[in-house]
């Protein structure tokens, strides 16, 4: 019964917040007039209230009400009762740290598995995977573990970037980093380019949006899958 | 009595391994004919032996012998007896994981504090800081903690890159990531560009190499320090 939209980013270049994906969200959240927003990934600069306001304004355009989970007395109960869930981007270490700290990682997992529609962007997409280990974020805080929701049988690398053939930089490319991950882990990884997302309907998982995605499996050459493709391993 | 060279990278674009810094290394390691090499950061692709061979070939040019710590029966004793130490780059999570796993983080710290010359590149530079939390690496393995050597009173961001004003990518810039770090941590951070290094002689810390470095302090605007500058906080 799982229903997810796993999106590389909330915002694509030259467009407003969520604009590129609003049509999809409108049909996805058709049974939810109110959506619980989890702002924990945001490391500062703006408060959780301010971040929730941004989400509110985005979802106003499709007539959905947004409620910040940080305003709820019992976040666990709020998740269980939710009609829809949106987890925004920021820093994945912080998001995972806080989900463990508030002791709601397991409830969030159960809520997704029972079929509550879940939409995640960037860090919120990352945690739908088996682990958060293919995040691009800086480890600004030490989480209780790297294990995440496991709502899909792979990991996400959001904001995927192709190597720049003209680069003089000696740091690792994204592809090299994911290959390093596969020296120690067998979980497949999907590199999701900005503007692409995965729509999950239980075991039906489809790549959507503008771009192909890059798939990395252990001991295999990386390959592309076109938008519209079914995803299976 | 601390003596360190903290280098952004082992190799600069268009040059061979360590070439840009060999003169400095020759004087730095003047009292060491043999140097212990720690290859733990390398996540695979090549073995520890092969990685050590690369270091060997680099140091041959200045007539220094390299011995891989992984070939030593007692790595702890090998560190204590070392005349010089070189920690190579790779993945910082893996390096820190292994230093804790082999139970030599504390010995490495004591060895550096007693004055054994320490040279680190990339991940090996990262761990000279108070914590590894300003690494650029992917969390491919869960380390026992983020605390590192604290040989200097700041953190390192190796391979520092300036924001690209023409980028259409929505992922965080390096500067944004370091600012996120400062929402939770007060440790200053030095963004070291490839080709630059810090030479530490106890409390005398000097930026050397081709480029200025970018310094980040909590609740301050980031600023540049020129090569040749003394570093103090």
């Amino acid at each position: 019964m799982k229903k997810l939209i796993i999106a590389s980013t909330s915002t694509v270049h030259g467009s407003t917040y969520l604009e590129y994906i609003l049509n999809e969200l409108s049909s996805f959240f058709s049974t939810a007039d109110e959506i619980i927003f989890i702002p924990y990934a945001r490391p500062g600069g703006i408060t959780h209230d301010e971040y929730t306001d941004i989400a509110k304004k985005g979802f106003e355009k499709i007539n959905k009400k947004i409620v910040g989970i940080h305003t709820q007395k019992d976040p666990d109960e709020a998740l269980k009762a939710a009609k829809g869930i949106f987890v925004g981007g920021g820093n994945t270490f912080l998001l995972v740290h806080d989900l463990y700290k508030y002791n709601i990682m397991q409830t969030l997992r159960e809520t997704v598995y029972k079929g509550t529609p879940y939409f995640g962007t960037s860090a919120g997409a990352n945690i739908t995977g088996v682990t958060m280990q293919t995040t691009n974020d800086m480890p600004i805080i030490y989480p209780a573990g790297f294990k995440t929701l496991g709502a899909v049988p792979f990991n996400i690398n959001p904001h995927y970037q192709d190597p720049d053939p003209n680069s003089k930089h000696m740091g690792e490319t994204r592809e090299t980093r994911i290959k390093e991950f596969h020296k120690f882990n067998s979980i497949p990884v999907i590199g999701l380019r900005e503007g692409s997302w995965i729509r999950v309907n239980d075991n039906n998982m489809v790549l959507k949006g503008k771009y192909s995605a890059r798939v990395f499996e252990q001991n295999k050459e990386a390959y592309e899958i076109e938008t519209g493709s079914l995803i299976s391993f």
Side-chain angles (χ1 to χ4, degrees), chain A:
Chain A
M1 285 290 295
K2 285 176 292 180
K3 294 189 187 84
L4 297 96
I5 291 179
I6 303 168
S8 178
T9 185
S10 61
T11 313
V12 295
H13 184 78
S15 162
T16 62
Y17 185 71
L18 298 179
E19 191 181 346
Y20 78 100
I21 200 170
L22 278 178
N23 277 343
E24 181 87 354
L25 292 176
S26 184
S27 71
F28 181 69
F29 282 124
S30 62
T31 57
D33 47 358
E34 186 178 291
I35 294 159
I36 291 279
F37 178 61
I38 302 184
Y40 296 155
R42 185 56 59 122
I46 56 171
T47 64
H48 285 166
D49 276 346
E50 286 164 338
Y51 193 23
T52 304
D53 278 344
I54 293 173
K56 259 180 202 165
K57 277 180 195 125
F59 273 88
E60 255 170 21
K61 293 172 191 160
I62 54 167
N63 300 312
K64 303 291 176 191
K65 196 182 157 195
I66 287 282
V67 175
I69 196 167
H70 64 291
T71 65
Q72 301 296 294
K73 267 192 190 155
D74 189 335
D76 196 73
E77 280 307 314
L79 278 182
K80 283 175 182 160
K83 293 279 189 357
I85 296 164
F86 171 30
V87 182
N91 182 290
T92 311
F93 288 88
L94 178 57
L95 173 60
V96 171
H97 174 274
D98 279 9
L99 290 174
Y100 280 117
K101 177 176 126 187
Y102 297 125
N103 203 21
I104 55 174
M105 182 70 90
Q106 182 58 21
T107 302
L108 187 55
R109 187 178 291 126
E110 288 164 8
T111 307
V112 169
Y113 268 85
K114 85 174 180 199
T116 307
Y118 175 105
F119 169 49
T121 58
S122 193
N126 209 289
I127 65 162
T128 65
V130 181
T131 74
M132 57 159 285
Q133 290 177 275
T134 47
T135 177
N136 311 306
D137 295 333
M138 224 172 227
I140 60 172
I141 196 162
Y142 188 70
F146 285 160
K147 200 182 159 199
T148 47
L149 299 177
V152 286
F154 47 82
N155 270 8
I156 300 291
N157 180 249
H159 304 282
Y160 183 76
Q161 279 187 305
D162 295 293
D164 171 3
N166 300 314
S167 173
K168 293 178 175 174
H169 188 69
M170 305 303 287
E172 292 86 353
T173 65
R174 195 68 65 81
E175 179 147 349
T176 302
R177 294 175 191 281
I178 296 170
K179 281 182 184 161
E180 290 181 357
F181 170 75
H182 277 146
K183 298 294 172 186
F184 295 91
N185 306 276
S186 60
I187 305 160
V189 179
I190 298 188
L192 265 185
R193 296 182 174 92
E194 294 176 350
S196 290
W197 66 91
I198 298 167
R199 182 143 176 183
V200 178
N201 233 315
D202 222 359
N203 291 323
N204 182 279
M205 304 183 286
V206 182
L207 178 66
K208 301 189 82 171
K210 231 173 158 178
Y211 303 103
S212 65
R214 195 153 186 86
V215 182
F216 303 85
E217 295 186 68
Q218 199 181 33
N219 304 324
K220 266 198 190 179
E221 283 295 306
Y223 56 94
E224 293 286 317
I225 54 171
E226 294 309 310
T227 184
S229 301
L230 275 175
I231 295 166
S232 70
F233 291 103

